[in-house]
Amino acid sequence: KQEVTQIPAALSVPEGENLVLNCSFTDSAIYNLQWFRQDPGKGLTSLLLIQSSQREQTSGRLNASLDKSSGRSTLYIAASQPGDSATYLCAVDNYGQNFVFGPGTRLSVLP
Amino acid sequence: DAGVIQSPRHEVTEMGQEVTLRCKPISGHNSLFWYRQTMMRGLELLIYFNNNVPIDDSGMPEDRFSAKMPNASFSTLKIQPSEPRDSAVYFCASSSPGGNSGGASYNEQFFGPGTRLTVL
């Protein structure tokens, strides 16, 4: 059974810092991995999707990497801003058999 | 496109009542997912459809839950009878075609704003 964990559970940084969020999964036979952000009381917004054949994806200040063999993905946020404050979740797609979400990392960027 | 649309946004009901949640996926998307989010259990996949056909309902907690997708632009999640432990935020998501035949799409999932359900 696929299990997804995220470290740290919460993170507080001053504005301008570069930071890394971690996602680990136990079954490396994944189809893709997707990173989302969720603002309090809101739905999920897709940030990046990495297919199993890819190693990384970039969008603006965000860069996500994937290492299937080690069961890890990282989300790198450059030059963090207060507007980046949210909960960040990763989710893995096990070839359509199930979609499993991690518990999320709650990020606070202090001005 | 308006994105994934869910209704109602908030629902407060009493134990034992029937609850129906509605979802309209993004036009052209052929996969639709229902999730439940609670503080204790996080986000859980309940069921997903591909081309209006339920593919995996193993996440549906019990027989009180049922989901239908009568056409490509509409899905419902029904709870009958509802119980206080069903209180949660229910999300619907959709994704565009691709991936393995009969399986879920490998493309990005787009989420609706959710329905916050409170069962008293």
Side-chain angles (χ1 to χ4, degrees), chain A residues 11-107:
Chain A
L11 181 64
S12 184
V13 300
E15 181 177 5
E17 267 201 16
N18 302 325
L19 55 99
V20 175
L21 308 181
N22 297 290
C23 172
S24 298
F25 45 95
T26 55
D27 185 348
S28 62
I30 66 170
Y31 202 21
N32 68 45
L33 184 144
Q34 194 168 351
W35 282 93
F36 297 86
R37 72 173 277 169
Q38 185 174 28
D39 295 284
K42 304 290 187 182
L44 278 71
T45 301
S46 176
L47 297 174
L48 291 163
L49 180 144
I50 311 176
Q51 295 183 34
S52 61
S53 58
Q54 299 174 327
R55 295 300 297 267
E56 66 176 347
Q57 284 284 331
T58 298
S59 175
R61 294 182 294 108
L62 305 180
N63 175 277
S65 66
L66 175 64
D67 184 342
K68 269 184 51 177
S69 61
S70 66
R72 294 179 184 174
S73 176
T74 61
L75 179 66
Y76 175 83
I77 303 177
S80 58
Q81 304 171 357
D84 295 330
S85 299
T87 296
Y88 290 80
L89 299 102
C90 67
V92 297
D93 173 0
N94 286 0
Y95 284 90
Q97 299 195 16
N98 63 318
F99 290 79
V100 182
F101 276 78
T105 293
R106 190 171 64 254
L107 172 66

